Amino acid sequence: MLGLAACGSGSSDAEEGGASLSSVTIEGEQGSEPKVTFDGRLDASQEETEVLVEGDGEEVAAGDTVKANWWIGNGFTEKKAQSTWTKDGAPQSLEVSEEIVPFLRDTLVGNQVGDRVVLLTSAEDAFGEGGRPDIGIGNRDAVLAVVDILDRSETVPPLDGPQGEEKKPAGWAPELIEEDGVVTGLDFSTAHKPTGKLIATTLVKGDGAKVKSGQTLTVDYLGQVYNADEPFDESYSGEPAEFPIGVGQVIPGWDERLVGRTVGSRVILEIPPADGYGEQGNEQAGIKGTDTLFFVVDILAAS
């Protein structure tokens, strides 16, 4: 059990000279949702920050990727406004950048993994002009934030392309069509007929870390139906794509065959309908329920 103090601006009806952070009681261990008890409306006229629980992990810096959970209270109404704690305890993952809300930058940067940080501030200083009316915090309300820093990793910029040991692809694979080193399509003239099995072959074995289920991948890719003249989708002509892997957010064949590979790899996937878009296909992309899909995928980053 811990008592605290902080500050910010009151709501449109808030009175000056309210309670400080020391009037708040916060119970619970770092990593679990706190129980917060108010003893009077909070005054946000002077910002206050305190580290309730000191961790012994690495210090968070701008540009890092952090896993954290937070609890937000309205210091004027003395009620919980938001909590990111879920039943399964999964933390939020975010990059510490200029784009995140100010209260998170204030409680993350310079503090350590394992810290529980408490901040009392104004709604404007916590969220920017306008506050967060969607969670019941007006522009002039005081905000109490309890933030648990659970993990961090340095954000590694995505590779520009495959990086690692070149491999001889399997004989069944189509050949890449490239223009000025950029993949533009697949040539099936020497490829085998689809077997109905989910298979993959490596063109470059990346020298980076292994891809884990639940990570966010950054990839360049091109997809083409077997024996089609043109790809139905690709990212090489634009920006790389980002998506969670291994959690059902992409077609099953990607989840199954990309997890466990290494960053920097280039692979070709042969994906039967059952591991692609199923019997319904994908009408928007011109894919029928009987089509076998081939993809070339460059794994540029995993975080």
Side-chain angles (χ1 to χ4, degrees), residues 158-160 218-221 233-243 300:
L159 300 173
D160 294 329
T218 302
V219 305
D220 266 328
Y221 71 94
D233 193 16
E234 57 86 26
S235 68
Y236 289 99
S237 62
E239 295 294 325
E242 292 187 357
F243 52 85
L300 307 177

PDB file of all heavy atoms in Angstrom, residues 158-160 218-221 233-243 300:
ATOM      1  N   PRO A 158      14.073  -1.387 -39.920  1.00  0.00           N
ATOM      2  CA  PRO A 158      13.944  -2.500 -40.864  1.00  0.00           C
ATOM      3  C   PRO A 158      15.099  -2.520 -41.860  1.00  0.00           C
ATOM      4  O   PRO A 158      15.660  -1.480 -42.203  1.00  0.00           O
ATOM      5  CB  PRO A 158      12.612  -2.209 -41.581  1.00  0.00           C
ATOM      6  CG  PRO A 158      11.877  -1.284 -40.680  1.00  0.00           C
ATOM      7  CD  PRO A 158      12.921  -0.477 -39.971  1.00  0.00           C
ATOM      8  N   LEU A 159      15.454  -3.718 -42.305  1.00  0.00           N
ATOM      9  CA  LEU A 159      16.459  -3.860 -43.352  1.00  0.00           C
ATOM     10  C   LEU A 159      15.925  -3.299 -44.668  1.00  0.00           C
ATOM     11  O   LEU A 159      14.708  -3.182 -44.869  1.00  0.00           O
ATOM     12  CB  LEU A 159      16.819  -5.332 -43.533  1.00  0.00           C
ATOM     13  CG  LEU A 159      17.401  -6.069 -42.315  1.00  0.00           C
ATOM     14  CD1 LEU A 159      17.535  -7.561 -42.627  1.00  0.00           C
ATOM     15  CD2 LEU A 159      18.748  -5.479 -41.912  1.00  0.00           C
ATOM     16  N   ASP A 160      16.831  -2.970 -45.556  1.00  0.00           N
ATOM     17  CA  ASP A 160      16.441  -2.506 -46.887  1.00  0.00           C
ATOM     18  C   ASP A 160      16.077  -3.658 -47.808  1.00  0.00           C
ATOM     19  O   ASP A 160      15.430  -3.454 -48.844  1.00  0.00           O
ATOM     20  CB  ASP A 160      17.572  -1.687 -47.521  1.00  0.00           C
ATOM     21  CG  ASP A 160      17.836  -0.388 -46.775  1.00  0.00           C
ATOM     22  OD1 ASP A 160      16.873   0.162 -46.204  1.00  0.00           O
ATOM     23  OD2 ASP A 160      18.994   0.064 -46.758  1.00  0.00           O
ATOM     24  N   THR A 218       7.819  -6.749 -40.225  1.00  0.00           N
ATOM     25  CA  THR A 218       7.897  -5.821 -41.344  1.00  0.00           C
ATOM     26  C   THR A 218       8.433  -6.608 -42.525  1.00  0.00           C
ATOM     27  O   THR A 218       9.506  -7.212 -42.423  1.00  0.00           O
ATOM     28  CB  THR A 218       8.825  -4.644 -41.025  1.00  0.00           C
ATOM     29  OG1 THR A 218       8.357  -3.970 -39.848  1.00  0.00           O
ATOM     30  CG2 THR A 218       8.868  -3.643 -42.180  1.00  0.00           C
ATOM     31  N   VAL A 219       7.691  -6.635 -43.620  1.00  0.00           N
ATOM     32  CA  VAL A 219       8.078  -7.453 -44.764  1.00  0.00           C
ATOM     33  C   VAL A 219       7.838  -6.714 -46.072  1.00  0.00           C
ATOM     34  O   VAL A 219       6.999  -5.819 -46.158  1.00  0.00           O
ATOM     35  CB  VAL A 219       7.294  -8.788 -44.811  1.00  0.00           C
ATOM     36  CG1 VAL A 219       7.436  -9.566 -43.521  1.00  0.00           C
ATOM     37  CG2 VAL A 219       5.836  -8.561 -45.146  1.00  0.00           C
ATOM     38  N   ASP A 220       8.595  -7.105 -47.089  1.00  0.00           N
ATOM     39  CA  ASP A 220       8.216  -6.869 -48.473  1.00  0.00           C
ATOM     40  C   ASP A 220       7.741  -8.203 -49.022  1.00  0.00           C
ATOM     41  O   ASP A 220       8.280  -9.262 -48.671  1.00  0.00           O
ATOM     42  CB  ASP A 220       9.400  -6.350 -49.292  1.00  0.00           C
ATOM     43  CG  ASP A 220       9.434  -4.834 -49.353  1.00  0.00           C
ATOM     44  OD1 ASP A 220       8.354  -4.220 -49.342  1.00  0.00           O
ATOM     45  OD2 ASP A 220      10.540  -4.262 -49.399  1.00  0.00           O
ATOM     46  N   TYR A 221       6.731  -8.168 -49.884  1.00  0.00           N
ATOM     47  CA  TYR A 221       6.174  -9.422 -50.386  1.00  0.00           C
ATOM     48  C   TYR A 221       5.548  -9.215 -51.758  1.00  0.00           C
ATOM     49  O   TYR A 221       5.231  -8.084 -52.163  1.00  0.00           O
ATOM     50  CB  TYR A 221       5.120  -9.970 -49.423  1.00  0.00           C
ATOM     51  CG  TYR A 221       3.851  -9.145 -49.423  1.00  0.00           C
ATOM     52  CD1 TYR A 221       2.774  -9.487 -50.238  1.00  0.00           C
ATOM     53  CD2 TYR A 221       3.743  -8.008 -48.637  1.00  0.00           C
ATOM     54  CE1 TYR A 221       1.626  -8.721 -50.257  1.00  0.00           C
ATOM     55  CE2 TYR A 221       2.598  -7.228 -48.654  1.00  0.00           C
ATOM     56  CZ  TYR A 221       1.538  -7.597 -49.465  1.00  0.00           C
ATOM     57  OH  TYR A 221       0.409  -6.818 -49.499  1.00  0.00           O
ATOM     58  N   ASP A 233      -1.036  -8.938 -55.579  1.00  0.00           N
ATOM     59  CA  ASP A 233      -0.691  -7.966 -54.543  1.00  0.00           C
ATOM     60  C   ASP A 233       0.822  -7.947 -54.369  1.00  0.00           C
ATOM     61  O   ASP A 233       1.493  -8.969 -54.577  1.00  0.00           O
ATOM     62  CB  ASP A 233      -1.362  -8.340 -53.219  1.00  0.00           C
ATOM     63  CG  ASP A 233      -1.307  -7.209 -52.194  1.00  0.00           C
ATOM     64  OD1 ASP A 233      -1.031  -6.057 -52.594  1.00  0.00           O
ATOM     65  OD2 ASP A 233      -1.531  -7.483 -51.005  1.00  0.00           O
ATOM     66  N   GLU A 234       1.375  -6.781 -53.998  1.00  0.00           N
ATOM     67  CA  GLU A 234       2.812  -6.695 -53.725  1.00  0.00           C
ATOM     68  C   GLU A 234       3.102  -5.395 -52.999  1.00  0.00           C
ATOM     69  O   GLU A 234       2.322  -4.450 -53.049  1.00  0.00           O
ATOM     70  CB  GLU A 234       3.630  -6.788 -55.019  1.00  0.00           C
ATOM     71  CG  GLU A 234       3.296  -5.755 -56.078  1.00  0.00           C
ATOM     72  CD  GLU A 234       4.035  -4.452 -55.903  1.00  0.00           C
ATOM     73  OE1 GLU A 234       5.135  -4.450 -55.309  1.00  0.00           O
ATOM     74  OE2 GLU A 234       3.518  -3.416 -56.361  1.00  0.00           O
ATOM     75  N   SER A 235       4.244  -5.359 -52.302  1.00  0.00           N
ATOM     76  CA  SER A 235       4.644  -4.154 -51.569  1.00  0.00           C
ATOM     77  C   SER A 235       5.945  -3.557 -52.087  1.00  0.00           C
ATOM     78  O   SER A 235       6.349  -2.485 -51.642  1.00  0.00           O
ATOM     79  CB  SER A 235       4.806  -4.471 -50.074  1.00  0.00           C
ATOM     80  OG  SER A 235       5.923  -5.324 -49.861  1.00  0.00           O
ATOM     81  N   TYR A 236       6.607  -4.255 -53.014  1.00  0.00           N
ATOM     82  CA  TYR A 236       7.935  -3.815 -53.454  1.00  0.00           C
ATOM     83  C   TYR A 236       7.919  -2.442 -54.121  1.00  0.00           C
ATOM     84  O   TYR A 236       8.910  -1.704 -54.064  1.00  0.00           O
ATOM     85  CB  TYR A 236       8.544  -4.842 -54.414  1.00  0.00           C
ATOM     86  CG  TYR A 236       8.958  -6.128 -53.738  1.00  0.00           C
ATOM     87  CD1 TYR A 236       8.132  -7.238 -53.781  1.00  0.00           C
ATOM     88  CD2 TYR A 236      10.170  -6.228 -53.061  1.00  0.00           C
ATOM     89  CE1 TYR A 236       8.503  -8.427 -53.167  1.00  0.00           C
ATOM     90  CE2 TYR A 236      10.550  -7.405 -52.445  1.00  0.00           C
ATOM     91  CZ  TYR A 236       9.704  -8.506 -52.495  1.00  0.00           C
ATOM     92  OH  TYR A 236      10.081  -9.666 -51.880  1.00  0.00           O
ATOM     93  N   SER A 237       6.811  -2.079 -54.727  1.00  0.00           N
ATOM     94  CA  SER A 237       6.739  -0.791 -55.402  1.00  0.00           C
ATOM     95  C   SER A 237       6.350   0.347 -54.461  1.00  0.00           C
ATOM     96  O   SER A 237       6.327   1.508 -54.863  1.00  0.00           O
ATOM     97  CB  SER A 237       5.732  -0.846 -56.558  1.00  0.00           C
ATOM     98  OG  SER A 237       4.430  -1.124 -56.074  1.00  0.00           O
ATOM     99  N   GLY A 238       6.041   0.003 -53.211  1.00  0.00           N
ATOM    100  CA  GLY A 238       5.651   1.019 -52.237  1.00  0.00           C
ATOM    101  C   GLY A 238       6.403   0.865 -50.933  1.00  0.00           C
ATOM    102  O   GLY A 238       7.630   0.738 -50.922  1.00  0.00           O
ATOM    103  N   GLU A 239       5.658   0.848 -49.823  1.00  0.00           N
ATOM    104  CA  GLU A 239       6.250   0.722 -48.492  1.00  0.00           C
ATOM    105  C   GLU A 239       6.086  -0.707 -47.977  1.00  0.00           C
ATOM    106  O   GLU A 239       5.102  -1.378 -48.304  1.00  0.00           O
ATOM    107  CB  GLU A 239       5.580   1.692 -47.514  1.00  0.00           C
ATOM    108  CG  GLU A 239       5.796   3.164 -47.846  1.00  0.00           C
ATOM    109  CD  GLU A 239       7.250   3.570 -47.704  1.00  0.00           C
ATOM    110  OE1 GLU A 239       7.929   3.051 -46.798  1.00  0.00           O
ATOM    111  OE2 GLU A 239       7.708   4.388 -48.521  1.00  0.00           O
ATOM    112  N   PRO A 240       7.049  -1.197 -47.171  1.00  0.00           N
ATOM    113  CA  PRO A 240       6.886  -2.527 -46.566  1.00  0.00           C
ATOM    114  C   PRO A 240       5.605  -2.607 -45.736  1.00  0.00           C
ATOM    115  O   PRO A 240       5.083  -1.600 -45.257  1.00  0.00           O
ATOM    116  CB  PRO A 240       8.138  -2.662 -45.685  1.00  0.00           C
ATOM    117  CG  PRO A 240       9.139  -1.737 -46.304  1.00  0.00           C
ATOM    118  CD  PRO A 240       8.348  -0.574 -46.826  1.00  0.00           C
ATOM    119  N   ALA A 241       5.110  -3.829 -45.587  1.00  0.00           N
ATOM    120  CA  ALA A 241       3.901  -4.069 -44.809  1.00  0.00           C
ATOM    121  C   ALA A 241       4.269  -4.471 -43.387  1.00  0.00           C
ATOM    122  O   ALA A 241       5.335  -5.044 -43.137  1.00  0.00           O
ATOM    123  CB  ALA A 241       3.075  -5.167 -45.466  1.00  0.00           C
ATOM    124  N   GLU A 242       3.374  -4.188 -42.443  1.00  0.00           N
ATOM    125  CA  GLU A 242       3.551  -4.583 -41.044  1.00  0.00           C
ATOM    126  C   GLU A 242       2.301  -5.319 -40.581  1.00  0.00           C
ATOM    127  O   GLU A 242       1.182  -4.911 -40.896  1.00  0.00           O
ATOM    128  CB  GLU A 242       3.787  -3.363 -40.151  1.00  0.00           C
ATOM    129  CG  GLU A 242       5.120  -2.661 -40.382  1.00  0.00           C
ATOM    130  CD  GLU A 242       5.367  -1.568 -39.353  1.00  0.00           C
ATOM    131  OE1 GLU A 242       4.475  -1.331 -38.506  1.00  0.00           O
ATOM    132  OE2 GLU A 242       6.448  -0.957 -39.385  1.00  0.00           O
ATOM    133  N   PHE A 243       2.489  -6.394 -39.797  1.00  0.00           N
ATOM    134  CA  PHE A 243       1.355  -7.155 -39.289  1.00  0.00           C
ATOM    135  C   PHE A 243       1.823  -8.085 -38.177  1.00  0.00           C
ATOM    136  O   PHE A 243       2.984  -8.510 -38.162  1.00  0.00           O
ATOM    137  CB  PHE A 243       0.706  -7.971 -40.406  1.00  0.00           C
ATOM    138  CG  PHE A 243       1.674  -8.821 -41.173  1.00  0.00           C
ATOM    139  CD1 PHE A 243       2.039 -10.079 -40.718  1.00  0.00           C
ATOM    140  CD2 PHE A 243       2.252  -8.347 -42.335  1.00  0.00           C
ATOM    141  CE1 PHE A 243       2.950 -10.855 -41.404  1.00  0.00           C
ATOM    142  CE2 PHE A 243       3.166  -9.125 -43.042  1.00  0.00           C
ATOM    143  CZ  PHE A 243       3.519 -10.376 -42.574  1.00  0.00           C
ATOM    144  N   LEU A 300      12.029  -8.228 -43.039  1.00  0.00           N
ATOM    145  CA  LEU A 300      12.904  -7.077 -42.835  1.00  0.00           C
ATOM    146  C   LEU A 300      13.089  -6.696 -41.365  1.00  0.00           C
ATOM    147  O   LEU A 300      14.097  -6.078 -40.996  1.00  0.00           O
ATOM    148  CB  LEU A 300      12.365  -5.872 -43.617  1.00  0.00           C
ATOM    149  CG  LEU A 300      12.106  -6.117 -45.116  1.00  0.00           C
ATOM    150  CD1 LEU A 300      11.516  -4.862 -45.747  1.00  0.00           C
ATOM    151  CD2 LEU A 300      13.396  -6.524 -45.819  1.00  0.00           C
TER     152      LEU A 300
END
